[in-house]
Amino acid sequence: DFLKRNKVFLILNIGVLGIFFSNNVLNNYMIQIVTNVGGDSEDMGRILSIMAFLEIPLMVCAGSLRKKFSCELMLKIAAIGFTVKIAFHYIATTVGMIYFAQAFQLISFALFLPVMVIFIDEVMRKGEAVKGQAFFTMMTTVASIIGSLIGGVILDIGGPKMLTLIATVFTAVGAAILIATVDKVKKN
């Protein structure tokens, strides 16, 4: 019944699945991506630290940002941020470029996660918001499973460049779906 009443929300979450594929690829296979451009485990540690450091301030300020910007706009920006971040990982030829790519964590994951929670609370009836949050969480979990399984196979077959290319495509498609549906979810 929930999915019948929220078909557009279901489609939006297919976009979330595409977006979070790249998030999982970066979290699981960063060492392979970094070593492919000449880095080492020390670089990977710094990169993951930067990711975490950039997430916290924006996550804390999401409520304040909501007062100035619509959730729809911020979700669109975050979807583009995810796409740009993984695309820069794909084109990276140096560790410095990977560091640069990580700066997009600020407008991707750090923005997306809290804003999506706020968005679901705003667009769904009180009793349905919990189901919406659970469905969103389920889609990020499915993306994590797919990213882990398929990502490992792609890495074995084609290496880090192929993995980041395919992740870029998945993310771009997911971002396009999200951008095309987020305003419609609000209207429904």
Side-chain angles (χ1 to χ4, degrees), residues 58-82:
L58 197 59
M59 287 182 164
V60 171
C61 297
S64 298
L65 285 172
R66 175 59 190 104
K67 293 174 185 172
K68 297 179 183 184
F69 305 102
S70 72
C71 285
E72 296 85 355
L73 175 63
M74 290 188 288
L75 288 172
K76 290 174 187 179
I77 290 169
I80 293 166
F82 274 106

PDB file of all heavy atoms in Angstrom, residues 58-82:
ATOM      1  N   LEU A  58      28.551  20.216   7.932  1.00  0.00           N
ATOM      2  CA  LEU A  58      27.357  20.413   7.123  1.00  0.00           C
ATOM      3  C   LEU A  58      26.181  19.605   7.659  1.00  0.00           C
ATOM      4  O   LEU A  58      25.043  20.077   7.640  1.00  0.00           O
ATOM      5  CB  LEU A  58      27.623  20.057   5.658  1.00  0.00           C
ATOM      6  CG  LEU A  58      26.591  20.599   4.683  1.00  0.00           C
ATOM      7  CD1 LEU A  58      26.509  22.118   4.775  1.00  0.00           C
ATOM      8  CD2 LEU A  58      26.919  20.191   3.279  1.00  0.00           C
ATOM      9  N   MET A  59      26.457  18.417   8.151  1.00  0.00           N
ATOM     10  CA  MET A  59      25.373  17.624   8.732  1.00  0.00           C
ATOM     11  C   MET A  59      24.753  18.331   9.932  1.00  0.00           C
ATOM     12  O   MET A  59      23.544  18.304  10.124  1.00  0.00           O
ATOM     13  CB  MET A  59      25.879  16.236   9.127  1.00  0.00           C
ATOM     14  CG  MET A  59      26.130  15.336   7.942  1.00  0.00           C
ATOM     15  SD  MET A  59      26.668  13.714   8.500  1.00  0.00           S
ATOM     16  CE  MET A  59      26.431  12.770   7.012  1.00  0.00           C
ATOM     17  N   VAL A  60      25.573  18.977  10.722  1.00  0.00           N
ATOM     18  CA  VAL A  60      25.093  19.712  11.887  1.00  0.00           C
ATOM     19  C   VAL A  60      24.280  20.939  11.465  1.00  0.00           C
ATOM     20  O   VAL A  60      23.306  21.304  12.120  1.00  0.00           O
ATOM     21  CB  VAL A  60      26.282  20.119  12.800  1.00  0.00           C
ATOM     22  CG1 VAL A  60      25.849  21.075  13.892  1.00  0.00           C
ATOM     23  CG2 VAL A  60      26.930  18.880  13.393  1.00  0.00           C
ATOM     24  N   CYS A  61      24.653  21.549  10.362  1.00  0.00           N
ATOM     25  CA  CYS A  61      24.011  22.796   9.906  1.00  0.00           C
ATOM     26  C   CYS A  61      22.852  22.579   8.938  1.00  0.00           C
ATOM     27  O   CYS A  61      22.295  23.554   8.431  1.00  0.00           O
ATOM     28  CB  CYS A  61      25.049  23.689   9.240  1.00  0.00           C
ATOM     29  SG  CYS A  61      26.350  24.218  10.351  1.00  0.00           S
ATOM     30  N   ALA A  62      22.484  21.349   8.668  1.00  0.00           N
ATOM     31  CA  ALA A  62      21.441  21.075   7.664  1.00  0.00           C
ATOM     32  C   ALA A  62      20.127  21.761   7.989  1.00  0.00           C
ATOM     33  O   ALA A  62      19.466  22.299   7.099  1.00  0.00           O
ATOM     34  CB  ALA A  62      21.241  19.576   7.504  1.00  0.00           C
ATOM     35  N   GLY A  63      19.748  21.774   9.240  1.00  0.00           N
ATOM     36  CA  GLY A  63      18.503  22.443   9.625  1.00  0.00           C
ATOM     37  C   GLY A  63      18.537  23.931   9.331  1.00  0.00           C
ATOM     38  O   GLY A  63      17.546  24.508   8.866  1.00  0.00           O
ATOM     39  N   SER A  64      19.681  24.552   9.568  1.00  0.00           N
ATOM     40  CA  SER A  64      19.824  25.985   9.277  1.00  0.00           C
ATOM     41  C   SER A  64      19.773  26.232   7.773  1.00  0.00           C
ATOM     42  O   SER A  64      19.180  27.220   7.322  1.00  0.00           O
ATOM     43  CB  SER A  64      21.142  26.508   9.839  1.00  0.00           C
ATOM     44  OG  SER A  64      21.170  26.359  11.228  1.00  0.00           O
ATOM     45  N   LEU A  65      20.395  25.348   7.010  1.00  0.00           N
ATOM     46  CA  LEU A  65      20.354  25.494   5.551  1.00  0.00           C
ATOM     47  C   LEU A  65      18.924  25.356   5.031  1.00  0.00           C
ATOM     48  O   LEU A  65      18.541  26.024   4.076  1.00  0.00           O
ATOM     49  CB  LEU A  65      21.242  24.448   4.881  1.00  0.00           C
ATOM     50  CG  LEU A  65      22.740  24.688   4.959  1.00  0.00           C
ATOM     51  CD1 LEU A  65      23.497  23.483   4.423  1.00  0.00           C
ATOM     52  CD2 LEU A  65      23.120  25.938   4.189  1.00  0.00           C
ATOM     53  N   ARG A  66      18.140  24.500   5.680  1.00  0.00           N
ATOM     54  CA  ARG A  66      16.751  24.288   5.254  1.00  0.00           C
ATOM     55  C   ARG A  66      15.941  25.565   5.366  1.00  0.00           C
ATOM     56  O   ARG A  66      15.005  25.785   4.608  1.00  0.00           O
ATOM     57  CB  ARG A  66      16.123  23.161   6.080  1.00  0.00           C
ATOM     58  CG  ARG A  66      14.651  22.934   5.808  1.00  0.00           C
ATOM     59  CD  ARG A  66      14.442  22.589   4.333  1.00  0.00           C
ATOM     60  NE  ARG A  66      13.051  22.581   3.981  1.00  0.00           N
ATOM     61  CZ  ARG A  66      12.438  23.550   3.299  1.00  0.00           C
ATOM     62  NH1 ARG A  66      13.099  24.623   2.904  1.00  0.00           N
ATOM     63  NH2 ARG A  66      11.167  23.451   3.010  1.00  0.00           N
ATOM     64  N   LYS A  67      16.297  26.429   6.281  1.00  0.00           N
ATOM     65  CA  LYS A  67      15.583  27.693   6.436  1.00  0.00           C
ATOM     66  C   LYS A  67      15.829  28.631   5.256  1.00  0.00           C
ATOM     67  O   LYS A  67      15.028  29.512   4.981  1.00  0.00           O
ATOM     68  CB  LYS A  67      15.998  28.373   7.739  1.00  0.00           C
ATOM     69  CG  LYS A  67      15.549  27.612   8.967  1.00  0.00           C
ATOM     70  CD  LYS A  67      16.092  28.228  10.236  1.00  0.00           C
ATOM     71  CE  LYS A  67      15.721  27.366  11.441  1.00  0.00           C
ATOM     72  NZ  LYS A  67      16.371  27.803  12.663  1.00  0.00           N
ATOM     73  N   LYS A  68      16.931  28.424   4.541  1.00  0.00           N
ATOM     74  CA  LYS A  68      17.289  29.299   3.429  1.00  0.00           C
ATOM     75  C   LYS A  68      17.046  28.673   2.058  1.00  0.00           C
ATOM     76  O   LYS A  68      16.847  29.390   1.078  1.00  0.00           O
ATOM     77  CB  LYS A  68      18.759  29.706   3.544  1.00  0.00           C
ATOM     78  CG  LYS A  68      19.050  30.519   4.783  1.00  0.00           C
ATOM     79  CD  LYS A  68      20.501  30.886   4.893  1.00  0.00           C
ATOM     80  CE  LYS A  68      20.707  31.643   6.198  1.00  0.00           C
ATOM     81  NZ  LYS A  68      22.030  32.136   6.384  1.00  0.00           N
ATOM     82  N   PHE A  69      17.115  27.339   1.987  1.00  0.00           N
ATOM     83  CA  PHE A  69      17.001  26.640   0.703  1.00  0.00           C
ATOM     84  C   PHE A  69      15.992  25.504   0.809  1.00  0.00           C
ATOM     85  O   PHE A  69      15.852  24.895   1.869  1.00  0.00           O
ATOM     86  CB  PHE A  69      18.358  26.062   0.279  1.00  0.00           C
ATOM     87  CG  PHE A  69      19.465  27.071   0.231  1.00  0.00           C
ATOM     88  CD1 PHE A  69      20.397  27.143   1.253  1.00  0.00           C
ATOM     89  CD2 PHE A  69      19.572  27.963  -0.825  1.00  0.00           C
ATOM     90  CE1 PHE A  69      21.424  28.068   1.236  1.00  0.00           C
ATOM     91  CE2 PHE A  69      20.596  28.898  -0.858  1.00  0.00           C
ATOM     92  CZ  PHE A  69      21.520  28.952   0.177  1.00  0.00           C
ATOM     93  N   SER A  70      15.353  25.196  -0.310  1.00  0.00           N
ATOM     94  CA  SER A  70      14.406  24.082  -0.309  1.00  0.00           C
ATOM     95  C   SER A  70      15.159  22.754  -0.284  1.00  0.00           C
ATOM     96  O   SER A  70      16.297  22.658  -0.761  1.00  0.00           O
ATOM     97  CB  SER A  70      13.506  24.145  -1.551  1.00  0.00           C
ATOM     98  OG  SER A  70      14.250  23.798  -2.711  1.00  0.00           O
ATOM     99  N   CYS A  71      14.513  21.755   0.260  1.00  0.00           N
ATOM    100  CA  CYS A  71      15.110  20.413   0.260  1.00  0.00           C
ATOM    101  C   CYS A  71      15.331  19.934  -1.165  1.00  0.00           C
ATOM    102  O   CYS A  71      16.345  19.295  -1.464  1.00  0.00           O
ATOM    103  CB  CYS A  71      14.205  19.426   1.000  1.00  0.00           C
ATOM    104  SG  CYS A  71      14.236  19.609   2.781  1.00  0.00           S
ATOM    105  N   GLU A  72      14.386  20.255  -2.037  1.00  0.00           N
ATOM    106  CA  GLU A  72      14.509  19.812  -3.421  1.00  0.00           C
ATOM    107  C   GLU A  72      15.784  20.355  -4.055  1.00  0.00           C
ATOM    108  O   GLU A  72      16.520  19.619  -4.715  1.00  0.00           O
ATOM    109  CB  GLU A  72      13.286  20.262  -4.248  1.00  0.00           C
ATOM    110  CG  GLU A  72      11.986  19.650  -3.799  1.00  0.00           C
ATOM    111  CD  GLU A  72      11.299  20.393  -2.651  1.00  0.00           C
ATOM    112  OE1 GLU A  72      11.867  21.364  -2.105  1.00  0.00           O
ATOM    113  OE2 GLU A  72      10.193  20.002  -2.287  1.00  0.00           O
ATOM    114  N   LEU A  73      16.058  21.634  -3.857  1.00  0.00           N
ATOM    115  CA  LEU A  73      17.265  22.238  -4.413  1.00  0.00           C
ATOM    116  C   LEU A  73      18.514  21.590  -3.820  1.00  0.00           C
ATOM    117  O   LEU A  73      19.451  21.246  -4.545  1.00  0.00           O
ATOM    118  CB  LEU A  73      17.285  23.748  -4.155  1.00  0.00           C
ATOM    119  CG  LEU A  73      18.571  24.472  -4.582  1.00  0.00           C
ATOM    120  CD1 LEU A  73      18.770  24.371  -6.091  1.00  0.00           C
ATOM    121  CD2 LEU A  73      18.546  25.914  -4.119  1.00  0.00           C
ATOM    122  N   MET A  74      18.522  21.415  -2.505  1.00  0.00           N
ATOM    123  CA  MET A  74      19.708  20.836  -1.875  1.00  0.00           C
ATOM    124  C   MET A  74      19.924  19.387  -2.295  1.00  0.00           C
ATOM    125  O   MET A  74      21.068  18.956  -2.479  1.00  0.00           O
ATOM    126  CB  MET A  74      19.611  20.964  -0.356  1.00  0.00           C
ATOM    127  CG  MET A  74      19.752  22.407   0.127  1.00  0.00           C
ATOM    128  SD  MET A  74      19.872  22.580   1.927  1.00  0.00           S
ATOM    129  CE  MET A  74      18.201  22.205   2.439  1.00  0.00           C
ATOM    130  N   LEU A  75      18.853  18.627  -2.496  1.00  0.00           N
ATOM    131  CA  LEU A  75      19.008  17.247  -2.967  1.00  0.00           C
ATOM    132  C   LEU A  75      19.547  17.212  -4.393  1.00  0.00           C
ATOM    133  O   LEU A  75      20.371  16.356  -4.727  1.00  0.00           O
ATOM    134  CB  LEU A  75      17.680  16.489  -2.865  1.00  0.00           C
ATOM    135  CG  LEU A  75      17.243  16.130  -1.455  1.00  0.00           C
ATOM    136  CD1 LEU A  75      15.824  15.565  -1.449  1.00  0.00           C
ATOM    137  CD2 LEU A  75      18.217  15.162  -0.799  1.00  0.00           C
ATOM    138  N   LYS A  76      19.095  18.133  -5.219  1.00  0.00           N
ATOM    139  CA  LYS A  76      19.625  18.207  -6.586  1.00  0.00           C
ATOM    140  C   LYS A  76      21.109  18.554  -6.572  1.00  0.00           C
ATOM    141  O   LYS A  76      21.905  17.960  -7.313  1.00  0.00           O
ATOM    142  CB  LYS A  76      18.845  19.251  -7.400  1.00  0.00           C
ATOM    143  CG  LYS A  76      17.427  18.829  -7.719  1.00  0.00           C
ATOM    144  CD  LYS A  76      16.675  19.972  -8.395  1.00  0.00           C
ATOM    145  CE  LYS A  76      15.211  19.642  -8.575  1.00  0.00           C
ATOM    146  NZ  LYS A  76      14.466  20.749  -9.204  1.00  0.00           N
ATOM    147  N   ILE A  77      21.482  19.515  -5.752  1.00  0.00           N
ATOM    148  CA  ILE A  77      22.902  19.895  -5.634  1.00  0.00           C
ATOM    149  C   ILE A  77      23.721  18.699  -5.156  1.00  0.00           C
ATOM    150  O   ILE A  77      24.798  18.418  -5.681  1.00  0.00           O
ATOM    151  CB  ILE A  77      23.068  21.106  -4.693  1.00  0.00           C
ATOM    152  CG1 ILE A  77      22.506  22.365  -5.360  1.00  0.00           C
ATOM    153  CG2 ILE A  77      24.534  21.304  -4.300  1.00  0.00           C
ATOM    154  CD1 ILE A  77      22.364  23.557  -4.433  1.00  0.00           C
ATOM    155  N   ALA A  78      23.205  17.982  -4.159  1.00  0.00           N
ATOM    156  CA  ALA A  78      23.924  16.816  -3.632  1.00  0.00           C
ATOM    157  C   ALA A  78      24.074  15.727  -4.693  1.00  0.00           C
ATOM    158  O   ALA A  78      25.133  15.111  -4.811  1.00  0.00           O
ATOM    159  CB  ALA A  78      23.211  16.275  -2.397  1.00  0.00           C
ATOM    160  N   ALA A  79      23.026  15.506  -5.481  1.00  0.00           N
ATOM    161  CA  ALA A  79      23.098  14.495  -6.541  1.00  0.00           C
ATOM    162  C   ALA A  79      24.180  14.862  -7.557  1.00  0.00           C
ATOM    163  O   ALA A  79      24.965  13.998  -7.988  1.00  0.00           O
ATOM    164  CB  ALA A  79      21.737  14.362  -7.226  1.00  0.00           C
ATOM    165  N   ILE A  80      24.240  16.122  -7.902  1.00  0.00           N
ATOM    166  CA  ILE A  80      25.294  16.588  -8.815  1.00  0.00           C
ATOM    167  C   ILE A  80      26.652  16.458  -8.136  1.00  0.00           C
ATOM    168  O   ILE A  80      27.633  16.047  -8.763  1.00  0.00           O
ATOM    169  CB  ILE A  80      25.013  18.035  -9.278  1.00  0.00           C
ATOM    170  CG1 ILE A  80      23.757  18.065 -10.159  1.00  0.00           C
ATOM    171  CG2 ILE A  80      26.217  18.618 -10.014  1.00  0.00           C
ATOM    172  CD1 ILE A  80      23.194  19.453 -10.401  1.00  0.00           C
ATOM    173  N   GLY A  81      26.719  16.778  -6.847  1.00  0.00           N
ATOM    174  CA  GLY A  81      27.969  16.654  -6.101  1.00  0.00           C
ATOM    175  C   GLY A  81      28.502  15.225  -6.097  1.00  0.00           C
ATOM    176  O   GLY A  81      29.702  14.995  -6.290  1.00  0.00           O
ATOM    177  N   PHE A  82      27.617  14.238  -5.888  1.00  0.00           N
ATOM    178  CA  PHE A  82      28.029  12.832  -5.951  1.00  0.00           C
ATOM    179  C   PHE A  82      28.611  12.495  -7.327  1.00  0.00           C
ATOM    180  O   PHE A  82      29.634  11.815  -7.436  1.00  0.00           O
ATOM    181  CB  PHE A  82      26.839  11.897  -5.702  1.00  0.00           C
ATOM    182  CG  PHE A  82      26.548  11.596  -4.263  1.00  0.00           C
ATOM    183  CD1 PHE A  82      25.454  12.166  -3.625  1.00  0.00           C
ATOM    184  CD2 PHE A  82      27.334  10.714  -3.546  1.00  0.00           C
ATOM    185  CE1 PHE A  82      25.158  11.871  -2.310  1.00  0.00           C
ATOM    186  CE2 PHE A  82      27.051  10.406  -2.222  1.00  0.00           C
ATOM    187  CZ  PHE A  82      25.962  10.989  -1.601  1.00  0.00           C
TER     188      PHE A  82
END
